[in-house]
Amino acid sequence: MSLDTRLSGILHVLLHMAEHHGPVTSEVLARAMHTNPVVVRRVMAGLREQGLVASTKGHGGGWTIACDMQRTTLRQVYDAVGSPALIALGNRSERPTCLVEQAVNAALDETFREAEALMLERLGSVSLAALSADFHARMVAGGHSIDHHTHSHDAENSR
Amino acid sequence: MSLDTRLSGILHVLLHMAEHHGPVTSEVLARAMHTNPVVVRRVMAGLREQGLVASTKGHGGGWTIACDMQRTTLRQVYDAVGSPALIALGNRSERPTCLVEQAVNAALDETFREAEALMLERLGSVSLAALSADFHARMVAGGHSIDHHTHSHDAENSR
DNA sequence: ACTCATGTAACTGTGTATGTTACATGATGG
DNA sequence: CCATCATGTAACATACACAGTTACATGAGT
């Protein structure tokens, strides 16, 4: 099954934005994410509605972070991109009258709900600031200077 | 995203088979699962390769359970259907050179791996016999007699 | 032989994320 | 005020995987 990469992509974009002073255009963000500017805008629209980012038009316009990165968690970003399904498996029918299927659903649903709850809890425990700090730690560990214009991006888009 | 219902469907089928004495044909199982006999055979092929079920051709042929239901877990059934992805989210690129993306991937991957491990652990802790026992308990609780020919199946195939 | 049932290939249907094109809207700078 | 830049959004194309369907071959039983 093909995976939903919107959360991954938008987090990438947010962290890049955090390294900039002024607004960043969709085109610049799209290049960093190896995708199309329209795709960026589409996903960012959800974040804007939640007040996580703001957009300005015209010359010198673009996207800016409009939230406190210390208080904003990955969970909020996840919800802002539409809270897509976390679990890739499901039951063939909800509310079946067949007792066999009810037993199967009960067993699987409990497992699914537990895993889902765990993921949501984990996402809720990581702030954007923590993610950004991790990035800076990696930069120091790799011997890079704090220069966000020299990040290289690989072209592989596998999985 | 549309969900993978093979595990759910095949467990339904296995529990139905457990209520029968002799072999059950793909057509009968397909009716219980509200699907096509070929779909049943396709998924059952994986179980046969793992020795969980056996098939016989010709008159009076069909599918029979070929494993110890006490010792066989949902995890084994899950593996037999091809171990499909459990998590519906993913990263835009594996092994990125971009440090920002590395940080994002690390955070998300850990969450995903934990949830996946939890699900596999849960699936591994439930035997087919336990599932079947749960089914029988539901039958008693609902005041049904042990007559597996009167199970009704609903027609809704939502989600 | 005839029938029944599995075994498979090949094709279609469907839903969703993703990618792309096109154009409208609004803001800025000369 | 007009050209340019950037977002906003609709519309359409593409890719992919599960699911469903048709068709036919293979083998077992009567």
Side-chain angles (χ1 to χ4, degrees):
Chain A
M1 170 161 312
S2 65
L3 307 170
D4 188 327
T5 64
R6 281 176 294 179
L7 179 60
S8 166
I10 214 66
L11 287 176
H12 184 178
V13 151
L14 285 173
L15 258 58
H16 268 287
M17 285 168 64
E19 303 298 313
H20 278 257
H21 302 311
V24 191
T25 68
S26 303
E27 184 166 340
V28 168
L29 295 177
R31 259 200 293 274
M33 233 176 82
H34 296 296
T35 183
N36 195 290
V38 177
V39 174
V40 173
R41 292 192 199 114
R42 191 147 61 196
V43 183
M44 292 292 269
L47 302 215
R48 188 187 51 222
E49 283 169 19
Q50 301 302 313
L52 301 184
V53 299
S55 60
T56 56
K57 293 180 171 180
H59 279 272
W63 300 90
T64 49
I65 291 181
C67 64
D68 179 356
M69 291 183 70
Q70 291 283 352
R71 298 195 174 280
T72 305
T73 66
L74 305 198
R75 168 69 190 273
Q76 288 171 265
V77 177
Y78 162 75
D79 286 332
V81 300
S83 311
L86 294 170
I87 308 297
L89 304 189
N91 295 124
R92 281 194 69 83
S93 61
E94 308 303 317
R95 288 188 238 320
T97 57
C98 172
L99 289 175
V100 169
E101 189 133 33
Q102 282 180 24
V104 172
N105 282 10
L108 293 182
D109 278 342
E110 189 181 338
T111 295
F112 296 160
R113 280 196 321 97
E114 274 182 30
E116 205 163 77
L118 174 64
M119 292 178 79
L120 290 176
E121 190 256 318
R122 284 281 185 268
L123 292 178
S125 71
V126 179
S127 69
L128 289 179
L131 243 192
S132 185
D134 182 31
F135 155 59
H136 285 113
R138 284 166 191 271
M139 198 148 57
V140 171
H144 296 67
S145 64
I146 309 266
D147 175 4
H148 20 82
H149 293 297
T150 58
H151 302 161
S152 60
H153 297 83
D154 59 342
E156 65 173 309
N157 249 25
S158 53
R159 186 159 165 185
Chain B
M1 170 160 311
S2 66
L3 307 170
D4 188 327
T5 64
R6 282 176 292 179
L7 178 60
S8 166
I10 213 66
L11 287 175
H12 185 179
V13 150
L14 286 173
L15 258 58
H16 269 287
M17 285 169 63
E19 302 299 313
H20 279 256
H21 302 310
V24 191
T25 67
S26 303
E27 184 165 340
V28 168
L29 295 177
R31 259 198 294 274
M33 232 176 83
H34 296 297
T35 184
N36 195 290
V38 177
V39 175
V40 172
R41 291 192 199 114
R42 192 147 58 196
V43 182
M44 292 293 269
L47 302 215
R48 188 187 50 223
E49 284 170 18
Q50 301 302 314
L52 301 184
V53 298
S55 61
T56 56
K57 293 181 174 180
H59 279 271
W63 300 90
T64 49
I65 291 181
C67 63
D68 179 355
M69 292 182 69
Q70 292 282 354
R71 298 195 175 280
T72 305
T73 66
L74 305 198
R75 168 69 190 273
Q76 289 171 265
V77 177
Y78 161 75
D79 286 332
V81 300
S83 311
L86 294 170
I87 308 297
L89 304 189
N91 295 124
R92 283 193 68 86
S93 61
E94 308 303 316
R95 288 189 242 317
T97 56
C98 171
L99 288 175
V100 169
E101 189 133 34
Q102 282 180 22
V104 172
N105 282 11
L108 293 181
D109 279 342
E110 188 181 339
T111 295
F112 296 161
R113 282 196 320 96
E114 273 184 28
E116 206 163 75
L118 174 64
M119 292 177 80
L120 290 176
E121 189 256 318
R122 284 279 185 269
L123 292 178
S125 72
V126 180
S127 69
L128 289 179
L131 242 193
S132 186
D134 181 31
F135 155 58
H136 284 112
R138 284 165 191 273
M139 198 147 59
V140 171
H144 296 65
S145 65
I146 310 266
D147 176 3
H148 21 84
H149 293 297
T150 60
H151 302 159
S152 60
H153 298 83
D154 58 343
E156 65 173 308
N157 250 27
S158 53
R159 188 159 165 185

